Amino acid sequence: MAEAARTGRWRQRRRTRKDLLQAAALLLARGETPSLEAVAAEAQVSRATAYRYFPSVEALLVEAAFDVASPEAQAVFADGPARDPVGRLERVDDAFDAMIAANEVPLRLMLANALERRAKEGDAAMPVRQDRRTPLIEAALAPAGDALRAEELEMLTAALALVIGTEAMIVCRDVLQLDDDKARQVKRWAIRALVAAARDEPGCRSR
């Protein structure tokens, strides 16, 4: 998404959604099974606001559990390649693969909830997903960022988001019927190809 779109109301909605997820995670960590009202109170927003972001407390709790399990940059890149973007991106992909394998059912429920919400409210609705992969992709590419033009770096980051994460798993497993080893090979090939394209391989630059 262009930087102009990441301002104002969009950023506020992202923050509010994150606050709700963190509040739910905190209540779960206390051993509670919170209501939507309890989560809203912990996040210091109204129940109506919470409902605008999540259709039910079940949808909120599913995503909150997933939010806690999401990989963090410090752990992903610990003792890893310092500058090689392909190696760092493979670390990101490995981390997401491990998280997805441990949380496949709630992830599929989260996607179903997101699709249902968008179908009801349309594209103008508030963000229905918390973007967890882009910060890790950006962190993986940061050491090599000076070698790429800004527009190429933005294009590469967006393209990599298509092959890293839950949707890539569903395409590989459900659509292509690939086993885990073959899916990993395909994604590794795509990562290398996309980085090569951004590095000005002939015929691969954005138009």
Side-chain angles (χ1 to χ4, degrees):
M1 183 180 295
E3 183 61 27
R6 294 182 179 271
T7 57
R9 185 61 177 161
W10 188 91
R11 288 184 180 275
Q12 179 59 49
R13 287 171 173 170
R14 287 289 303 277
R15 285 195 297 270
T16 300
R17 183 180 179 84
K18 186 67 174 177
D19 287 345
L20 287 164
L21 290 171
Q22 290 177 339
L26 179 62
L27 294 174
L28 288 170
R30 293 175 184 167
E32 302 178 27
T33 303
S35 64
L36 200 61
E37 290 85 352
V39 175
E42 184 69 31
Q44 299 183 358
V45 300
S46 68
R47 184 187 186 283
T49 296
Y51 186 76
R52 284 199 297 271
Y53 287 80
F54 296 94
S56 66
V57 69
E58 291 79 14
L60 172 56
L61 296 181
V62 162
E63 188 164 349
F66 167 54
D67 198 56
V68 171
S70 295
E72 297 288 341
Q74 184 175 1
V76 171
F77 301 120
D79 302 321
R83 297 195 60 82
D84 173 35
V86 171
R88 290 170 65 85
L89 288 164
E90 288 177 350
R91 284 269 184 135
V92 173
D93 191 45
D94 283 342
F96 271 97
D97 279 354
M99 183 273 296
I100 289 166
N103 298 276
E104 183 172 347
V105 172
L107 282 169
R108 287 180 180 271
L109 288 173
M110 187 191 72
L111 285 175
N113 287 329
L115 290 171
E116 180 182 2
R117 195 61 178 261
R118 186 169 294 279
K120 289 180 179 178
E121 300 189 20
D123 290 341
M126 74 291 294
V128 294
R129 295 284 300 279
Q130 194 76 24
D131 184 4
R132 299 169 181 86
R133 74 196 74 178
T134 298
L136 280 175
I137 292 171
E138 289 174 342
L141 293 173
D146 292 343
L148 299 172
R149 296 189 307 170
E151 57 267 34
E152 295 301 329
L153 184 60
E154 180 180 6
M155 187 72 71
L156 176 59
T157 300
L160 286 164
L162 300 176
V163 297
I164 295 173
T166 311
E167 295 81 4
M169 177 274 291
I170 289 176
V171 170
C172 288
R173 184 169 296 176
D174 296 4
V175 179
L176 300 177
Q177 299 289 301
L178 302 178
D179 62 33
D180 290 343
D181 287 342
K182 186 62 176 178
R184 188 174 186 274
Q185 292 176 21
V186 169
K187 291 192 294 174
R188 291 294 186 272
W189 185 93
I191 288 170
R192 292 193 300 271
L194 289 168
V195 171
R199 284 173 161 171
D200 203 16
E201 290 286 318
C204 291
R205 291 187 70 83
S206 60
R207 294 294 187 264

